[in-house]
Amino acid sequence: MDAPAAWARGRLPEGDGRVVSLDVNGLALDCVVPADEGEPEGATAFGLLAASLSSCTAMSVRTFLQRHDVEACDVEVDVALEAGHPPTVHRRVGLVADLDHDLRTQLSAVVDSTPVTVLLQDSLVIVTRLDVGPEPRG
């Protein structure tokens, strides 16, 4: 069998511990089991899910820009998860690039078909906003 493309291991010690020790492809980090109230103090399982969608989207956008010889620019992807049935993810993709209508349409299709998007789209609603435009002149 071939080696997995990605792997993770979580360990939660006995007792009422609230921190899961993770090993993700050899990177160690902690994941907090959130308390009933307040802001969690660190990454949570849903935060890691949001991070997966954010990073996958950003990498896919960068690949798209390179493929179409668009000048390199910062790509920012914000992802926020809203509880509900089904849960809703709000994703904002921002970049300063001068894209014509056709490239914007193609970029939108790329964002909606990233690998993590495809994995999640049957389980939750993903609402995406593209903020794409040339650098403001001042």
Side-chain angles (χ1 to χ4, degrees):
M1 183 170 132
D2 292 334
W7 58 269
R9 176 177 295 119
R11 295 182 194 273
L12 181 64
E14 284 186 40
D16 61 356
R18 302 196 70 77
V19 177
V20 177
S21 297
L22 296 174
D23 184 349
V24 181
N25 289 355
L27 173 70
L29 69 143
D30 290 335
C31 181
V32 178
V33 178
D36 292 335
E37 295 179 18
E39 210 42 51
E41 295 184 19
T44 64
F46 283 118
L48 294 172
L49 183 71
S52 294
L53 181 60
S54 178
S55 62
C56 181
T57 302
M59 289 184 279
S60 294
V61 169
R62 176 59 47 85
T63 300
F64 172 85
L65 296 174
Q66 290 170 341
R67 185 175 300 130
H68 292 281
D69 295 322
V70 175
E71 188 174 327
C73 64
D74 288 343
V75 175
E76 185 174 277
V77 181
D78 300 310
V79 173
L81 183 68
E82 200 176 277
H85 298 289
T88 300
V89 171
H90 295 275
R91 171 175 56 182
R92 185 192 72 81
V93 179
L95 59 142
V96 177
D98 195 7
L99 303 181
D100 64 25
H101 177 74
D102 288 342
L103 280 181
R104 285 176 187 244
T105 301
Q106 291 176 46
L107 176 60
S108 180
V110 164
V111 167
D112 287 338
S113 64
T114 68
V116 174
T117 300
V118 171
L119 287 170
L120 296 177
Q121 67 190 1
D122 289 338
S123 301
L124 43 82
V125 176
I126 302 173
V127 178
T128 302
R129 184 178 95 213
L130 291 177
D131 288 337
V132 179
E135 202 164 351
R137 297 192 171 116

